[in-house]
Amino acid sequence: MSLTTEIVKALHSASGQAVSGEVLAEQLGVSRMAISKAVSKLNANGYQIDSRPRVGYALTALPQTINAEAVSALVDSKFWKHVAVFEQVGSTNDEARKALGEGVATPAVFVAREQTQGRGRLGRRWTSSLGGLYVSILVTDRVDIAQASSLSLVAGLCVAEVLGEQGIEAHVKWPNDVIVEGHKIAGILIEMTSDVDGVNSLVIGIGLNVNRPNSAESPNGANEQALDSHAKPAYISDRIGQIASESGLCASLLDSFQNKYSQWLAQGFAPFVEQFSDVQAQRGEEVTVSNPLGDVVANGIVRGVDESGKLLLETAPTEIVSISSGEVTLRRNV
Ligand code: BTN
């Protein structure tokens, strides 16, 4: 790990408190002059590290854009075995699959500032211009197919948690759209490989609208085509009234995933039922569930999810059915 990465790690774990140059120098086995030079370099690279005379250094802001050093410095390197950050790629999900073929150590994460072939669910395109966060997580723990799909609900919870830390109240529309006041802010695309013994790899692709792109960068409006016609995308920057740090958000998302994934792997989806119900969009609403061809599978009222992450739909006063896949649309929008 480079000295600059180690300094970011040390200052980040002090949660905004100042750490003296002397302590840093001793901890990292270098001179105070080397610390001071590295801090100047970090400040030139978009970090905001205050030098407080007689007190020390405090990390007050992270670089706005995705930065490999920042992401590697902020995440738990004992859990994340591989972190890759790209300026531009086709699709981070494809990068994850390619790396799987090359035997990458997992959990691994692939992040891009821009994607040229970003894809969404149901073969839709996911416009991925600068300003968004495009993340694919690759895990290779063995799970059974029935459990695997509930991981996308857990990923939705992670995104909702990160938004909550920003003061943004988000809801998760089953199975995996994250919504803020009716507008989609993030989408999740899970792809898996399996053999006779069950799932052997999962790629969890997350696209999050962070900073609203200017029109020159995104002539079509980021991700609007991934939405139903009733909503326009939401952006974190619009909600918090300032530009957000993509690096900071990415690190928070990976921290949240680390915690929830470990629990999900050990205990399945059951411990998340209540959390999911708390943030589930469309609860109590009349919806239509359709299959990928657009055929109606069921009509009913959303009543929550069960312990395997299936949607619970009240189709008649005494009848609750559980649904494992489909697109859910509010009936007034049908
Ligand atoms: C959807 O709502 O349709 C899911 C969108 C998922 C987009 C993400 S961005 C990172 C990863 N790479 C892709 O090509 N797609 C996913």
Side-chain angles (χ1 to χ4, degrees):
M1 207 186 290
S2 71
L3 178 60
T4 45
T5 308
E6 290 199 83
I7 292 175
V8 174
K9 222 179 201 359
L11 294 181
H12 181 70
S13 52
S15 312
Q17 297 295 307
V19 183
S20 80
E22 204 178 328
V23 167
L24 280 176
E26 204 182 294
Q27 235 177 47
L28 305 178
V30 295
S31 67
R32 287 175 64 176
M33 180 55 84
I35 299 286
S36 156
K37 274 194 189 150
V39 166
S40 306
K41 191 169 153 199
L42 286 165
N43 278 334
N45 287 341
Y47 292 85
Q48 211 172 298
I49 299 176
D50 293 351
S51 305
R52 299 179 185 156
R54 286 184 297 281
V55 184
Y57 300 103
L59 176 63
T60 54
L62 293 163
Q64 182 219 312
T65 53
I66 271 292
N67 171 308
E69 178 179 66
V71 177
S72 310
L74 302 182
V75 300
D76 179 355
S77 48
K78 285 195 209 71
F79 179 84
W80 296 101
K81 304 291 185 324
H82 181 84
V83 176
V85 177
F86 303 92
E87 277 297 307
Q88 191 189 64
V89 282
S91 156
T92 51
N93 270 30
D94 290 343
E95 290 302 319
R97 279 147 69 130
K98 203 161 84 195
L100 174 69
E102 290 161 359
V104 71
T106 57
V109 59
F110 304 83
V111 190
R113 294 192 64 205
E114 268 185 293
Q115 296 184 119
T116 53
Q117 305 289 324
R119 59 175 179 274
R121 292 173 59 232
L122 305 171
R124 292 175 185 140
R125 200 166 114 75
W126 185 262
T127 305
S128 309
S129 46
L130 291 171
L133 187 56
Y134 313 109
V135 179
S136 295
I137 294 168
L138 170 69
V139 288
T140 50
D141 300 287
R142 281 215 166 260
V143 288
D144 61 56
I145 292 186
Q147 184 185 344
S149 55
S150 66
L151 187 57
S152 76
L153 277 60
V154 174
L157 283 176
C158 295
V159 176
E161 184 170 271
V162 169
L163 292 170
E165 286 162 11
Q166 300 292 316
I168 302 170
E169 191 184 354
H171 291 96
V172 185
K173 175 176 164 270
W174 186 93
N176 44 24
D177 284 347
V178 185
I179 310 287
V180 172
E181 287 175 15
H183 301 273
K184 181 162 167 175
I185 199 161
I188 294 156
L189 172 69
I190 295 232
E191 296 175 329
M192 56 181 100
T193 59
S194 57
D195 57 24
V196 281
D197 296 323
V199 171
N200 51 23
S201 82
L202 281 159
V203 175
I204 305 104
I206 302 170
L208 174 62
N209 298 332
V210 181
N211 294 309
R212 178 183 282 279
N214 62 42
S215 51
E217 281 169 348
S218 179
N220 302 321
N223 304 334
E224 273 171 68
Q225 64 275 58
L227 299 169
D228 64 41
S229 56
H230 306 281
K232 290 239 188 293
Y235 293 87
I236 293 180
S237 58
D238 290 350
R239 304 284 151 170
I240 63 174
Q242 63 185 56
I243 299 289
S245 164
E246 292 151 22
S247 295
L249 288 165
C250 182
S252 305
L253 184 62
L254 297 180
D255 272 354
S256 175
F257 182 84
Q258 175 179 347
N259 291 332
K260 294 198 195 315
Y261 177 73
S262 307
Q263 193 180 6
W264 175 84
L265 202 55
Q267 300 169 45
F269 186 73
F272 298 99
V273 171
E274 208 174 306
Q275 268 179 59
F276 193 86
S277 304
D278 286 349
V279 297
Q280 187 173 5
Q282 302 174 324
R283 276 193 74 133
E285 307 253 26
E286 282 201 42
V287 297
T288 290
V289 182
S290 334
N291 66 19
L293 300 172
D295 305 324
V296 173
V297 175
N299 287 312
I301 301 171
V302 173
R303 290 297 181 211
V305 289
D306 70 10
E307 297 209 336
S308 57
K310 291 194 186 115
L311 179 71
L312 294 175
L313 202 64
E314 185 182 308
T315 50
T318 54
E319 192 173 304
I320 303 265
V321 298
S322 59
I323 300 210
S324 53
S325 68
E327 279 293 284
V328 185
T329 336
L330 284 182
R331 289 213 72 187
R332 62 170 183 267
N333 289 342
V334 176

PDB file of all heavy atoms in Angstrom, residues 149-184:
ATOM      1  N   SER A 149     -31.437 -15.116  -5.422  1.00  0.00           N
ATOM      2  CA  SER A 149     -32.135 -13.924  -5.917  1.00  0.00           C
ATOM      3  C   SER A 149     -32.435 -12.921  -4.793  1.00  0.00           C
ATOM      4  O   SER A 149     -32.579 -11.725  -5.064  1.00  0.00           O
ATOM      5  CB  SER A 149     -33.409 -14.327  -6.644  1.00  0.00           C
ATOM      6  OG  SER A 149     -34.188 -15.105  -5.793  1.00  0.00           O
ATOM      7  N   SER A 150     -32.501 -13.399  -3.545  1.00  0.00           N
ATOM      8  CA  SER A 150     -32.793 -12.440  -2.467  1.00  0.00           C
ATOM      9  C   SER A 150     -31.624 -11.492  -2.222  1.00  0.00           C
ATOM     10  O   SER A 150     -31.768 -10.478  -1.542  1.00  0.00           O
ATOM     11  CB  SER A 150     -33.170 -13.167  -1.165  1.00  0.00           C
ATOM     12  OG  SER A 150     -32.071 -13.885  -0.651  1.00  0.00           O
ATOM     13  N   LEU A 151     -30.454 -11.803  -2.798  1.00  0.00           N
ATOM     14  CA  LEU A 151     -29.312 -10.898  -2.601  1.00  0.00           C
ATOM     15  C   LEU A 151     -29.569  -9.539  -3.257  1.00  0.00           C
ATOM     16  O   LEU A 151     -29.048  -8.526  -2.812  1.00  0.00           O
ATOM     17  CB  LEU A 151     -28.031 -11.543  -3.154  1.00  0.00           C
ATOM     18  CG  LEU A 151     -26.737 -10.781  -2.858  1.00  0.00           C
ATOM     19  CD1 LEU A 151     -26.529 -10.557  -1.360  1.00  0.00           C
ATOM     20  CD2 LEU A 151     -25.528 -11.507  -3.444  1.00  0.00           C
ATOM     21  N   SER A 152     -30.397  -9.524  -4.302  1.00  0.00           N
ATOM     22  CA  SER A 152     -30.650  -8.218  -4.918  1.00  0.00           C
ATOM     23  C   SER A 152     -31.475  -7.328  -3.978  1.00  0.00           C
ATOM     24  O   SER A 152     -31.327  -6.117  -3.969  1.00  0.00           O
ATOM     25  CB  SER A 152     -31.302  -8.371  -6.291  1.00  0.00           C
ATOM     26  OG  SER A 152     -32.643  -8.695  -6.152  1.00  0.00           O
ATOM     27  N   LEU A 153     -32.316  -7.941  -3.143  1.00  0.00           N
ATOM     28  CA  LEU A 153     -33.069  -7.147  -2.161  1.00  0.00           C
ATOM     29  C   LEU A 153     -32.109  -6.594  -1.102  1.00  0.00           C
ATOM     30  O   LEU A 153     -32.239  -5.455  -0.654  1.00  0.00           O
ATOM     31  CB  LEU A 153     -34.136  -8.012  -1.469  1.00  0.00           C
ATOM     32  CG  LEU A 153     -35.467  -8.214  -2.185  1.00  0.00           C
ATOM     33  CD1 LEU A 153     -35.315  -8.876  -3.531  1.00  0.00           C
ATOM     34  CD2 LEU A 153     -36.421  -9.017  -1.327  1.00  0.00           C
ATOM     35  N   VAL A 154     -31.141  -7.441  -0.742  1.00  0.00           N
ATOM     36  CA  VAL A 154     -30.144  -7.000   0.247  1.00  0.00           C
ATOM     37  C   VAL A 154     -29.320  -5.846  -0.343  1.00  0.00           C
ATOM     38  O   VAL A 154     -29.034  -4.859   0.348  1.00  0.00           O
ATOM     39  CB  VAL A 154     -29.232  -8.192   0.656  1.00  0.00           C
ATOM     40  CG1 VAL A 154     -28.106  -7.738   1.557  1.00  0.00           C
ATOM     41  CG2 VAL A 154     -30.064  -9.271   1.340  1.00  0.00           C
ATOM     42  N   ALA A 155     -28.976  -5.958  -1.631  1.00  0.00           N
ATOM     43  CA  ALA A 155     -28.224  -4.869  -2.275  1.00  0.00           C
ATOM     44  C   ALA A 155     -29.050  -3.580  -2.261  1.00  0.00           C
ATOM     45  O   ALA A 155     -28.518  -2.489  -2.027  1.00  0.00           O
ATOM     46  CB  ALA A 155     -27.855  -5.258  -3.701  1.00  0.00           C
ATOM     47  N   GLY A 156     -30.356  -3.704  -2.476  1.00  0.00           N
ATOM     48  CA  GLY A 156     -31.238  -2.530  -2.410  1.00  0.00           C
ATOM     49  C   GLY A 156     -31.212  -1.905  -1.020  1.00  0.00           C
ATOM     50  O   GLY A 156     -31.185  -0.673  -0.867  1.00  0.00           O
ATOM     51  N   LEU A 157     -31.180  -2.765   0.001  1.00  0.00           N
ATOM     52  CA  LEU A 157     -31.108  -2.256   1.379  1.00  0.00           C
ATOM     53  C   LEU A 157     -29.802  -1.494   1.610  1.00  0.00           C
ATOM     54  O   LEU A 157     -29.777  -0.491   2.323  1.00  0.00           O
ATOM     55  CB  LEU A 157     -31.179  -3.422   2.375  1.00  0.00           C
ATOM     56  CG  LEU A 157     -32.560  -4.025   2.622  1.00  0.00           C
ATOM     57  CD1 LEU A 157     -32.440  -5.221   3.563  1.00  0.00           C
ATOM     58  CD2 LEU A 157     -33.493  -2.978   3.222  1.00  0.00           C
ATOM     59  N   CYS A 158     -28.716  -2.002   1.008  1.00  0.00           N
ATOM     60  CA  CYS A 158     -27.417  -1.324   1.164  1.00  0.00           C
ATOM     61  C   CYS A 158     -27.490   0.085   0.570  1.00  0.00           C
ATOM     62  O   CYS A 158     -27.043   1.056   1.186  1.00  0.00           O
ATOM     63  CB  CYS A 158     -26.302  -2.093   0.438  1.00  0.00           C
ATOM     64  SG  CYS A 158     -25.980  -3.712   1.131  1.00  0.00           S
ATOM     65  N   VAL A 159     -28.074   0.174  -0.629  1.00  0.00           N
ATOM     66  CA  VAL A 159     -28.169   1.493  -1.273  1.00  0.00           C
ATOM     67  C   VAL A 159     -29.045   2.418  -0.412  1.00  0.00           C
ATOM     68  O   VAL A 159     -28.698   3.576  -0.162  1.00  0.00           O
ATOM     69  CB  VAL A 159     -28.745   1.382  -2.706  1.00  0.00           C
ATOM     70  CG1 VAL A 159     -28.921   2.767  -3.320  1.00  0.00           C
ATOM     71  CG2 VAL A 159     -27.844   0.519  -3.586  1.00  0.00           C
ATOM     72  N   ALA A 160     -30.157   1.879   0.085  1.00  0.00           N
ATOM     73  CA  ALA A 160     -31.056   2.705   0.916  1.00  0.00           C
ATOM     74  C   ALA A 160     -30.317   3.179   2.175  1.00  0.00           C
ATOM     75  O   ALA A 160     -30.491   4.316   2.620  1.00  0.00           O
ATOM     76  CB  ALA A 160     -32.306   1.914   1.283  1.00  0.00           C
ATOM     77  N   GLU A 161     -29.481   2.305   2.721  1.00  0.00           N
ATOM     78  CA  GLU A 161     -28.738   2.678   3.931  1.00  0.00           C
ATOM     79  C   GLU A 161     -27.761   3.826   3.636  1.00  0.00           C
ATOM     80  O   GLU A 161     -27.671   4.794   4.394  1.00  0.00           O
ATOM     81  CB  GLU A 161     -27.979   1.455   4.449  1.00  0.00           C
ATOM     82  CG  GLU A 161     -27.240   1.697   5.749  1.00  0.00           C
ATOM     83  CD  GLU A 161     -26.705   0.385   6.325  1.00  0.00           C
ATOM     84  OE1 GLU A 161     -27.438  -0.261   7.074  1.00  0.00           O
ATOM     85  OE2 GLU A 161     -25.556   0.023   6.001  1.00  0.00           O
ATOM     86  N   VAL A 162     -27.041   3.707   2.506  1.00  0.00           N
ATOM     87  CA  VAL A 162     -26.072   4.748   2.136  1.00  0.00           C
ATOM     88  C   VAL A 162     -26.803   6.083   1.906  1.00  0.00           C
ATOM     89  O   VAL A 162     -26.338   7.142   2.329  1.00  0.00           O
ATOM     90  CB  VAL A 162     -25.301   4.324   0.860  1.00  0.00           C
ATOM     91  CG1 VAL A 162     -24.494   5.459   0.283  1.00  0.00           C
ATOM     92  CG2 VAL A 162     -24.414   3.127   1.179  1.00  0.00           C
ATOM     93  N   LEU A 163     -27.965   6.017   1.274  1.00  0.00           N
ATOM     94  CA  LEU A 163     -28.737   7.246   1.040  1.00  0.00           C
ATOM     95  C   LEU A 163     -29.211   7.820   2.375  1.00  0.00           C
ATOM     96  O   LEU A 163     -29.192   9.029   2.589  1.00  0.00           O
ATOM     97  CB  LEU A 163     -29.913   6.958   0.108  1.00  0.00           C
ATOM     98  CG  LEU A 163     -29.503   6.608  -1.331  1.00  0.00           C
ATOM     99  CD1 LEU A 163     -30.693   6.108  -2.132  1.00  0.00           C
ATOM    100  CD2 LEU A 163     -28.882   7.814  -2.029  1.00  0.00           C
ATOM    101  N   GLY A 164     -29.606   6.933   3.285  1.00  0.00           N
ATOM    102  CA  GLY A 164     -30.037   7.375   4.623  1.00  0.00           C
ATOM    103  C   GLY A 164     -28.925   8.129   5.334  1.00  0.00           C
ATOM    104  O   GLY A 164     -29.174   9.147   5.991  1.00  0.00           O
ATOM    105  N   GLU A 165     -27.691   7.683   5.159  1.00  0.00           N
ATOM    106  CA  GLU A 165     -26.550   8.380   5.781  1.00  0.00           C
ATOM    107  C   GLU A 165     -26.393   9.791   5.230  1.00  0.00           C
ATOM    108  O   GLU A 165     -25.803  10.657   5.860  1.00  0.00           O
ATOM    109  CB  GLU A 165     -25.241   7.604   5.513  1.00  0.00           C
ATOM    110  CG  GLU A 165     -25.114   6.328   6.333  1.00  0.00           C
ATOM    111  CD  GLU A 165     -24.062   5.350   5.780  1.00  0.00           C
ATOM    112  OE1 GLU A 165     -23.276   5.728   4.876  1.00  0.00           O
ATOM    113  OE2 GLU A 165     -24.041   4.215   6.252  1.00  0.00           O
ATOM    114  N   GLN A 166     -26.911  10.002   4.014  1.00  0.00           N
ATOM    115  CA  GLN A 166     -26.861  11.340   3.393  1.00  0.00           C
ATOM    116  C   GLN A 166     -28.110  12.149   3.743  1.00  0.00           C
ATOM    117  O   GLN A 166     -28.339  13.222   3.182  1.00  0.00           O
ATOM    118  CB  GLN A 166     -26.799  11.221   1.861  1.00  0.00           C
ATOM    119  CG  GLN A 166     -25.606  10.467   1.335  1.00  0.00           C
ATOM    120  CD  GLN A 166     -24.316  11.229   1.566  1.00  0.00           C
ATOM    121  OE1 GLN A 166     -24.250  12.428   1.345  1.00  0.00           O
ATOM    122  NE2 GLN A 166     -23.303  10.536   2.052  1.00  0.00           N
ATOM    123  N   GLY A 167     -28.958  11.584   4.580  1.00  0.00           N
ATOM    124  CA  GLY A 167     -30.190  12.281   4.958  1.00  0.00           C
ATOM    125  C   GLY A 167     -31.287  12.131   3.915  1.00  0.00           C
ATOM    126  O   GLY A 167     -32.251  12.894   3.894  1.00  0.00           O
ATOM    127  N   ILE A 168     -31.136  11.150   3.015  1.00  0.00           N
ATOM    128  CA  ILE A 168     -32.142  10.960   1.963  1.00  0.00           C
ATOM    129  C   ILE A 168     -32.973   9.729   2.293  1.00  0.00           C
ATOM    130  O   ILE A 168     -32.433   8.635   2.473  1.00  0.00           O
ATOM    131  CB  ILE A 168     -31.454  10.755   0.587  1.00  0.00           C
ATOM    132  CG1 ILE A 168     -30.572  11.953   0.251  1.00  0.00           C
ATOM    133  CG2 ILE A 168     -32.481  10.504  -0.503  1.00  0.00           C
ATOM    134  CD1 ILE A 168     -29.670  11.739  -0.959  1.00  0.00           C
ATOM    135  N   GLU A 169     -34.287   9.900   2.361  1.00  0.00           N
ATOM    136  CA  GLU A 169     -35.148   8.758   2.665  1.00  0.00           C
ATOM    137  C   GLU A 169     -35.456   8.016   1.368  1.00  0.00           C
ATOM    138  O   GLU A 169     -36.054   8.574   0.444  1.00  0.00           O
ATOM    139  CB  GLU A 169     -36.440   9.257   3.315  1.00  0.00           C
ATOM    140  CG  GLU A 169     -37.226   8.104   3.871  1.00  0.00           C
ATOM    141  CD  GLU A 169     -38.572   8.532   4.451  1.00  0.00           C
ATOM    142  OE1 GLU A 169     -38.867   9.747   4.523  1.00  0.00           O
ATOM    143  OE2 GLU A 169     -39.322   7.623   4.810  1.00  0.00           O
ATOM    144  N   ALA A 170     -35.006   6.776   1.309  1.00  0.00           N
ATOM    145  CA  ALA A 170     -35.197   6.003   0.072  1.00  0.00           C
ATOM    146  C   ALA A 170     -36.066   4.786   0.342  1.00  0.00           C
ATOM    147  O   ALA A 170     -36.118   4.273   1.458  1.00  0.00           O
ATOM    148  CB  ALA A 170     -33.839   5.558  -0.457  1.00  0.00           C
ATOM    149  N   HIS A 171     -36.739   4.333  -0.693  1.00  0.00           N
ATOM    150  CA  HIS A 171     -37.542   3.112  -0.610  1.00  0.00           C
ATOM    151  C   HIS A 171     -37.055   2.129  -1.667  1.00  0.00           C
ATOM    152  O   HIS A 171     -36.492   2.538  -2.673  1.00  0.00           O
ATOM    153  CB  HIS A 171     -39.026   3.445  -0.820  1.00  0.00           C
ATOM    154  CG  HIS A 171     -39.588   4.228   0.326  1.00  0.00           C
ATOM    155  ND1 HIS A 171     -39.674   5.588   0.303  1.00  0.00           N
ATOM    156  CD2 HIS A 171     -40.014   3.825   1.542  1.00  0.00           C
ATOM    157  CE1 HIS A 171     -40.162   6.004   1.469  1.00  0.00           C
ATOM    158  NE2 HIS A 171     -40.375   4.954   2.237  1.00  0.00           N
ATOM    159  N   VAL A 172     -37.264   0.851  -1.390  1.00  0.00           N
ATOM    160  CA  VAL A 172     -36.854  -0.158  -2.378  1.00  0.00           C
ATOM    161  C   VAL A 172     -38.112  -0.766  -2.978  1.00  0.00           C
ATOM    162  O   VAL A 172     -38.964  -1.298  -2.261  1.00  0.00           O
ATOM    163  CB  VAL A 172     -35.982  -1.272  -1.743  1.00  0.00           C
ATOM    164  CG1 VAL A 172     -35.475  -2.215  -2.833  1.00  0.00           C
ATOM    165  CG2 VAL A 172     -34.803  -0.670  -0.980  1.00  0.00           C
ATOM    166  N   LYS A 173     -38.206  -0.636  -4.288  1.00  0.00           N
ATOM    167  CA  LYS A 173     -39.351  -1.225  -4.992  1.00  0.00           C
ATOM    168  C   LYS A 173     -38.937  -2.637  -5.383  1.00  0.00           C
ATOM    169  O   LYS A 173     -37.961  -2.810  -6.107  1.00  0.00           O
ATOM    170  CB  LYS A 173     -39.669  -0.379  -6.228  1.00  0.00           C
ATOM    171  CG  LYS A 173     -40.750  -0.934  -7.109  1.00  0.00           C
ATOM    172  CD  LYS A 173     -41.019   0.065  -8.242  1.00  0.00           C
ATOM    173  CE  LYS A 173     -41.789  -0.549  -9.362  1.00  0.00           C
ATOM    174  NZ  LYS A 173     -41.020  -1.171 -10.416  1.00  0.00           N
ATOM    175  N   TRP A 174     -39.680  -3.620  -4.845  1.00  0.00           N
ATOM    176  CA  TRP A 174     -39.345  -5.015  -5.125  1.00  0.00           C
ATOM    177  C   TRP A 174     -39.289  -5.264  -6.616  1.00  0.00           C
ATOM    178  O   TRP A 174     -40.177  -4.785  -7.329  1.00  0.00           O
ATOM    179  CB  TRP A 174     -40.413  -5.905  -4.467  1.00  0.00           C
ATOM    180  CG  TRP A 174     -40.109  -7.368  -4.549  1.00  0.00           C
ATOM    181  CD1 TRP A 174     -39.455  -8.118  -3.617  1.00  0.00           C
ATOM    182  CD2 TRP A 174     -40.468  -8.254  -5.608  1.00  0.00           C
ATOM    183  NE1 TRP A 174     -39.362  -9.412  -4.039  1.00  0.00           N
ATOM    184  CE2 TRP A 174     -39.971  -9.523  -5.262  1.00  0.00           C
ATOM    185  CE3 TRP A 174     -41.123  -8.111  -6.837  1.00  0.00           C
ATOM    186  CZ2 TRP A 174     -40.129 -10.637  -6.080  1.00  0.00           C
ATOM    187  CZ3 TRP A 174     -41.277  -9.218  -7.658  1.00  0.00           C
ATOM    188  CH2 TRP A 174     -40.787 -10.468  -7.271  1.00  0.00           C
ATOM    189  N   PRO A 175     -38.305  -5.959  -7.193  1.00  0.00           N
ATOM    190  CA  PRO A 175     -37.234  -6.552  -6.411  1.00  0.00           C
ATOM    191  C   PRO A 175     -36.047  -5.632  -6.168  1.00  0.00           C
ATOM    192  O   PRO A 175     -35.340  -5.834  -5.197  1.00  0.00           O
ATOM    193  CB  PRO A 175     -36.803  -7.739  -7.280  1.00  0.00           C
ATOM    194  CG  PRO A 175     -37.099  -7.310  -8.685  1.00  0.00           C
ATOM    195  CD  PRO A 175     -38.305  -6.409  -8.599  1.00  0.00           C
ATOM    196  N   ASN A 176     -35.803  -4.641  -7.022  1.00  0.00           N
ATOM    197  CA  ASN A 176     -34.528  -3.950  -6.810  1.00  0.00           C
ATOM    198  C   ASN A 176     -34.367  -2.566  -7.420  1.00  0.00           C
ATOM    199  O   ASN A 176     -33.276  -2.215  -7.847  1.00  0.00           O
ATOM    200  CB  ASN A 176     -33.360  -4.842  -7.264  1.00  0.00           C
ATOM    201  CG  ASN A 176     -33.636  -5.511  -8.579  1.00  0.00           C
ATOM    202  OD1 ASN A 176     -34.435  -5.000  -9.341  1.00  0.00           O
ATOM    203  ND2 ASN A 176     -33.012  -6.630  -8.833  1.00  0.00           N
ATOM    204  N   ASP A 177     -35.396  -1.765  -7.425  1.00  0.00           N
ATOM    205  CA  ASP A 177     -35.220  -0.359  -7.810  1.00  0.00           C
ATOM    206  C   ASP A 177     -35.200   0.453  -6.532  1.00  0.00           C
ATOM    207  O   ASP A 177     -36.023   0.222  -5.641  1.00  0.00           O
ATOM    208  CB  ASP A 177     -36.415   0.136  -8.636  1.00  0.00           C
ATOM    209  CG  ASP A 177     -36.384  -0.382 -10.060  1.00  0.00           C
ATOM    210  OD1 ASP A 177     -35.331  -0.907 -10.480  1.00  0.00           O
ATOM    211  OD2 ASP A 177     -37.414  -0.262 -10.741  1.00  0.00           O
ATOM    212  N   VAL A 178     -34.297   1.409  -6.467  1.00  0.00           N
ATOM    213  CA  VAL A 178     -34.292   2.274  -5.282  1.00  0.00           C
ATOM    214  C   VAL A 178     -34.909   3.610  -5.681  1.00  0.00           C
ATOM    215  O   VAL A 178     -34.541   4.211  -6.705  1.00  0.00           O
ATOM    216  CB  VAL A 178     -32.865   2.443  -4.702  1.00  0.00           C
ATOM    217  CG1 VAL A 178     -32.916   3.244  -3.409  1.00  0.00           C
ATOM    218  CG2 VAL A 178     -32.242   1.067  -4.457  1.00  0.00           C
ATOM    219  N   ILE A 179     -35.866   4.031  -4.867  1.00  0.00           N
ATOM    220  CA  ILE A 179     -36.734   5.141  -5.237  1.00  0.00           C
ATOM    221  C   ILE A 179     -36.655   6.233  -4.165  1.00  0.00           C
ATOM    222  O   ILE A 179     -36.662   5.936  -2.974  1.00  0.00           O
ATOM    223  CB  ILE A 179     -38.216   4.646  -5.271  1.00  0.00           C
ATOM    224  CG1 ILE A 179     -38.371   3.370  -6.096  1.00  0.00           C
ATOM    225  CG2 ILE A 179     -39.195   5.721  -5.706  1.00  0.00           C
ATOM    226  CD1 ILE A 179     -38.256   3.548  -7.577  1.00  0.00           C
ATOM    227  N   VAL A 180     -36.603   7.477  -4.633  1.00  0.00           N
ATOM    228  CA  VAL A 180     -36.680   8.604  -3.697  1.00  0.00           C
ATOM    229  C   VAL A 180     -37.864   9.468  -4.139  1.00  0.00           C
ATOM    230  O   VAL A 180     -37.869   9.975  -5.268  1.00  0.00           O
ATOM    231  CB  VAL A 180     -35.362   9.420  -3.690  1.00  0.00           C
ATOM    232  CG1 VAL A 180     -35.506  10.690  -2.869  1.00  0.00           C
ATOM    233  CG2 VAL A 180     -34.213   8.574  -3.145  1.00  0.00           C
ATOM    234  N   GLU A 181     -38.824   9.613  -3.265  1.00  0.00           N
ATOM    235  CA  GLU A 181     -40.056  10.377  -3.563  1.00  0.00           C
ATOM    236  C   GLU A 181     -40.604  10.047  -4.955  1.00  0.00           C
ATOM    237  O   GLU A 181     -40.885  10.937  -5.765  1.00  0.00           O
ATOM    238  CB  GLU A 181     -39.785  11.874  -3.431  1.00  0.00           C
ATOM    239  CG  GLU A 181     -39.642  12.288  -1.977  1.00  0.00           C
ATOM    240  CD  GLU A 181     -39.257  13.758  -1.820  1.00  0.00           C
ATOM    241  OE1 GLU A 181     -39.371  14.520  -2.793  1.00  0.00           O
ATOM    242  OE2 GLU A 181     -38.845  14.111  -0.711  1.00  0.00           O
ATOM    243  N   GLY A 182     -40.678   8.769  -5.254  1.00  0.00           N
ATOM    244  CA  GLY A 182     -41.292   8.333  -6.515  1.00  0.00           C
ATOM    245  C   GLY A 182     -40.346   8.333  -7.710  1.00  0.00           C
ATOM    246  O   GLY A 182     -40.737   7.946  -8.805  1.00  0.00           O
ATOM    247  N   HIS A 183     -39.122   8.788  -7.524  1.00  0.00           N
ATOM    248  CA  HIS A 183     -38.172   8.836  -8.645  1.00  0.00           C
ATOM    249  C   HIS A 183     -37.046   7.840  -8.425  1.00  0.00           C
ATOM    250  O   HIS A 183     -36.480   7.767  -7.329  1.00  0.00           O
ATOM    251  CB  HIS A 183     -37.596  10.250  -8.787  1.00  0.00           C
ATOM    252  CG  HIS A 183     -38.647  11.282  -9.017  1.00  0.00           C
ATOM    253  ND1 HIS A 183     -39.102  11.593 -10.267  1.00  0.00           N
ATOM    254  CD2 HIS A 183     -39.352  12.038  -8.143  1.00  0.00           C
ATOM    255  CE1 HIS A 183     -40.046  12.518 -10.157  1.00  0.00           C
ATOM    256  NE2 HIS A 183     -40.217  12.799  -8.872  1.00  0.00           N
ATOM    257  N   LYS A 184     -36.709   7.127  -9.500  1.00  0.00           N
ATOM    258  CA  LYS A 184     -35.669   6.096  -9.360  1.00  0.00           C
ATOM    259  C   LYS A 184     -34.289   6.745  -9.222  1.00  0.00           C
ATOM    260  O   LYS A 184     -33.901   7.585 -10.024  1.00  0.00           O
ATOM    261  CB  LYS A 184     -35.709   5.188 -10.592  1.00  0.00           C
ATOM    262  CG  LYS A 184     -34.694   4.062 -10.545  1.00  0.00           C
ATOM    263  CD  LYS A 184     -35.089   2.978 -11.543  1.00  0.00           C
ATOM    264  CE  LYS A 184     -33.988   1.987 -11.797  1.00  0.00           C
ATOM    265  NZ  LYS A 184     -34.402   0.883 -12.648  1.00  0.00           N
TER     266      LYS A 184
END
